[in-house]
Amino acid sequence: MTSATPLPTLWGDRRIVLGITGGIAAYKLCTVASALAKDQAQVRALLTQTAQQFITPLSFSTLCRHRAYTDADLWADHSPRPLHIELGEWAEVMVIAPLTAQTLAKLALGLADNLLTNTVLASHCPILLAPAMNTDMWEQPIVQHHWQTLLAQPRYHGMAPGSGILACDRQGAGRMVEPATILAHLQSLLHSGGQQDWQHQRVLVTAGGTQEYWDPVRFLGNPATGRMGVALAQAAAHRGAKVTLIQGTGLENEELEAAIAGTSIVCHRVTQAAQMQQQLEALFPQQDWLVMAAAVADLRPTAYSAVKVAKADLATTLPLEPVPDLVATLAQRKQPHQRLIGFAAQSGDIVTPALGKLQRKGLDAIVANPIDQPNSGFGSGWNQAVILDRAGRQRAISPCTKLALAHQILDFCRDLAP
C-alpha cells in the first residue's frame, strides 16, 4: 500500500443494461450512463416507446458510446440470434428506471410485449428497480402488491422512491432516487452478484466523529466524515441485512439522506460521545453485529460553560477527562452470537497497534487503515486497509472506493469463527 499504487477503475469492462421507461425522471439516467461509460463500463440502453417521449435514443447512444436500442430493434434481423436473447445473456446486471406503474405490472405478471420486458425474461442477472410515479399511483394497493411481488423474487432489488415535490406539483412519495444512489447499489450488486448473504442479520454501524464542547461554540473534534461507516451500512443493507446507523458529526443531513435513500436503514444522529454511548446501550442488545467505524473522542473537557467564554477569559490549559471506551464496554456485555468489529485509523505501522487494540478491547475483528497515505483516511472517497481477526487471519485491501472496501470487510467478517 504505497502512493504508487494505481487506483482501479470502478466499472471497467462491466456489462450493464439500462432499461429506460416513460417518466420525467428519465433524464437522471443520463447521469448514470455517463458515469458508467466514462469509467470504461460497457453500457447498453434500451428505451421503451413511451421513454422516447421524454428523452431520445441519440442522447443515450452518445453517453453510452454505443447505439441505444428501441422496440423497433426487437423485430429487426439480428441473426443468428434475436437481440433480446443476446442482451439478456450478455448483461451482468440490469437497471430499470424510472420504473413506471405500467412496466412494474408487466414485470410482476411476467409479460413480454416490448424489447425491455423480453430482455428481462431472457436474462438471469440481478435487476435493480427504481420506481417513479405520482403519489396516488404509487400508493395504490395493486401497485404495492406488484412491487412486493417483485421484491420477493431473489433477482429483483428495489430502491423505494423518496418523498418530495413531484413533477405534478404533488408533495409526497414517488420521487425517484438520485443517480448516486443508483450507482452505489449497482456497485453492490456487481460485487455480490445479487446474493442476499447478510439476510436476517441485524447490523448496527457507527459512523462519523464526535464533538466534545466546553462552551456553545468551541469543541474538541476530529475530521471524520462518516463516509466509511455509511458505506458499511449501505453494503450490509444492499446484501439483505437489517441495518441501524448511528451517525456522528461529519456528513451534512442532505448527503447522509442521499446515501441511505432507497434502503431500509434506520438512522440516529448524535454529536457527542455520551449521546453515542446512550444509543449504543439501547440498541446493541438487539443486534447480531456491531461495526464501530466512528471516530469517537478519547478526551473531553471536564466542565461545560452554558455561555460562550470570552476570549480574554480563556485559559491557556484545558482540563480534560477520558471518554469511556464505548466498544470495550460493550464487548464485556456481548452475547455468544454477537460479533464486534472495530476500526483503527493509524499512521506509520498500522498492524501492530491494531493487533493490540483487537486483544485489549475484546473485539472479534479490526480494520486498520492508514491516515498518512494518499486516497485513504478521513474525507476521502477511497480507502485501504488491513483486516485482522482473533484467529490470526489477515487480509490486506488495496486502495478502492469505501463502498468496495465495505463489501470486502463484510466478506471477511461473514466467515468469522464463532
Side-chain angles (χ1 to χ4, degrees), residues 212-377:
E212 309 304 322
Y213 285 80
W214 72 81
D215 73 10
V217 298
R218 300 182 180 97
F219 60 84
L220 296 177
N222 59 62
T225 62
R227 291 190 176 95
M228 188 68 244
V230 170
L232 282 156
Q234 286 178 308
H238 292 164
R239 291 165 69 164
K242 182 178 181 181
V243 180
T244 303
L245 172 66
I246 304 174
Q247 170 68 38
T249 60
L251 292 185
E252 297 292 337
N253 283 334
E254 184 177 350
E255 185 176 356
L256 177 60
E257 289 169 5
I260 65 176
T263 72
S264 59
I265 296 171
V266 176
C267 184
H268 303 270
R269 292 223 65 159
V270 299
T271 301
Q272 298 172 298
Q275 296 168 337
M276 186 170 289
Q277 180 180 16
Q278 184 179 29
Q279 290 287 345
L280 284 168
E281 289 177 349
L283 296 169
F284 178 65
Q286 294 82 43
Q287 308 300 316
D288 299 306
W289 298 82
L290 170 60
V291 184
M292 196 75 181
V296 182
D298 297 309
L299 298 168
R300 63 190 175 198
T302 57
Y304 174 76
S305 171
V307 297
K308 180 183 176 181
V309 179
K311 184 175 181 179
D313 296 331
L314 289 174
T316 57
T317 59
L318 179 66
L320 302 174
E321 64 183 7
V323 171
D325 193 324
L326 306 187
V327 72
T329 301
L330 293 174
Q332 297 173 4
R333 307 175 187 172
K334 75 169 187 172
Q335 300 301 309
H337 72 279
Q338 293 180 306
R339 297 289 177 266
L340 270 64
I341 315 302
F343 271 70
Q346 302 286 158
S347 56
D349 172 20
I350 66 173
V351 172
T352 302
L355 279 171
K357 188 174 182 179
L358 173 73
Q359 299 298 330
R360 186 173 63 255
K361 294 179 181 287
L363 305 174
D364 295 287
I366 193 165
V367 181
N369 60 278
I371 57 173
D372 56 356
Q373 297 293 324
N375 303 305
S376 62

Side-chain angles (χ1 to χ4, degrees), residues 125-138:
C125 65
I127 298 177
L128 182 59
L129 305 171
M133 64 191 76
N134 167 269
T135 303
D136 291 325
M137 297 173 68
W138 173 247

Side-chain angles (χ1 to χ4, degrees), residues 137-157:
M137 297 173 68
W138 173 247
E139 293 178 349
Q140 287 290 332
I142 190 62
V143 172
Q144 288 301 306
H145 174 73
H146 288 155
W147 178 241
Q148 295 302 325
T149 296
L150 285 182
L151 296 186
Q153 302 299 314
R155 67 181 302 215
Y156 288 100
H157 304 265

Side-chain angles (χ1 to χ4, degrees), residues 77-146:
D77 182 9
H78 290 279
S79 300
R81 295 202 298 167
L83 177 62
H84 64 286
I85 303 296
E86 292 283 359
L87 289 172
E89 295 180 355
W90 175 86
E92 289 184 84
V93 65
M94 294 181 65
V95 180
I96 302 178
L99 179 65
T100 61
Q102 174 81 350
T103 299
L104 172 59
K106 290 179 182 180
L107 295 176
L109 296 173
L111 302 181
D113 65 346
N114 59 19
L115 177 59
L116 175 58
T117 52
N118 272 275
T119 303
V120 167
L121 293 188
S123 68
H124 295 280
C125 65
I127 298 177
L128 182 59
L129 305 171
M133 64 191 76
N134 167 269
T135 303
D136 291 325
M137 297 173 68
W138 173 247
E139 293 178 349
Q140 287 290 332
I142 190 62
V143 172
Q144 288 301 306
H145 174 73
H146 288 155

Side-chain angles (χ1 to χ4, degrees), residues 9 15 23 31 43 67 96 98 109 144 191 211-212 252 271 274 301 325 387 394 404:
T9 58
R15 304 185 306 277
T31 301
V43 187
R67 66 165 298 193
I96 302 178
L109 296 173
Q144 288 301 306
H191 178 91
Q211 295 175 349
E212 309 304 322
E252 297 292 337
T271 301
D325 193 324
I387 317 173
Q394 290 190 22

